[in-house]
C-alpha cells in the first residue's frame, strides 16, 4: 500500500531516525519499531492485510478520533492513520499517517 506522511516529524522519524524538533523526540527502540511497522505497511497490498498481524492490534478508532485507524508500535505507542479509498474500492490501498502517539497520555 502507499503510505504518506501528514506530519513532517513522522517522515523525519522514518527517513532519518529522529525528528528535528524537540517536541517529537522518541527513544531509539520506539523509532526502530515505528520504522519496521511503516515498512510492513508499505509491503502489504492493502490495510485489510494488517489483520493477519495480531500483535499490531489494527483497529478503527472511535470518539474524538473517529475516522482514524491505528496499529500498535508497542504496548505504549501507536501509529494513527487515515485510510484513503481510491476509485471507490472497499479496500484502502493508500494510508496517510497522522500521528505517533502515546495513547495513555
Amino acid at each position: 500500500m502507499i503510505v504518506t506522511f501528514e506530519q513532517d516529524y513522522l517522515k523525519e522519524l522514518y527517513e532519518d531516525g529522529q525528528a528535528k524538533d524537540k517536541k517529537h523526540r522518541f527513544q531509539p527502540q520506539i523509532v526502530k519499531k515505528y520504522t519496521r511497522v511503516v515498512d510492513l505497511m508499505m509491503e502489504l497490498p492493502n490495510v485489510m492485510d494488517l489483520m493477519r498481524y495480531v500483535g499490531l492490534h489494527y483497529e478503527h478508532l472511535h470518539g474524538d478520533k473517529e475516522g482514524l485507524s491505528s496499529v500498535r508500535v508497542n504496548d505504549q505507542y501507536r501509529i494513527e492513520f487515515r485510510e484513503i479509498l481510491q476509485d471507490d474500492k472497499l479496500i484502502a490501498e493508500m494510508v496517510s499517517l497522522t500521528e505517533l502517539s502515546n495513547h495513555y497520555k
Side-chain angles (χ1 to χ4, degrees), residues 66-82:
E66 187 75 35
L68 296 176
S69 298
S70 74
V71 290
R72 296 266 177 95
V73 172
N74 67 6
D75 290 341
Q76 189 175 7
Y77 289 90
R78 66 183 175 190
I79 298 171
E80 296 175 1
F81 58 93
R82 190 175 329 281

Side-chain angles (χ1 to χ4, degrees), residues 17-67:
Q18 63 183 6
K20 293 177 184 169
D21 62 339
K22 291 183 180 182
K23 181 181 177 186
H24 298 106
R25 298 279 167 105
F26 298 93
Q27 295 177 347
Q29 66 267 25
I30 301 298
V31 175
K32 184 176 179 179
K33 182 74 189 251
Y34 164 76
T35 304
R36 288 195 336 227
V37 172
V38 173
D39 284 341
L40 175 66
M41 291 174 78
M42 289 180 175
E43 290 175 12
L44 297 174
N46 58 62
V47 294
M48 300 312 286
D49 289 321
L50 291 170
M51 290 186 195
R52 291 187 299 172
Y53 300 91
V54 179
L56 292 178
H57 298 279
Y58 168 68
E59 63 181 338
H60 295 282
L61 301 178
H62 305 285
D64 62 338
K65 297 198 181 223
E66 187 75 35

Side-chain angles (χ1 to χ4, degrees), residues 3 6 48 51 53 71 81 94 97 102 104-105:
V3 176
E6 287 187 16
M48 300 312 286
M51 290 186 195
Y53 300 91
V71 290
F81 58 93
M94 180 174 180
L97 302 183
N102 180 342
Y104 290 110
K105 286 188 178 182

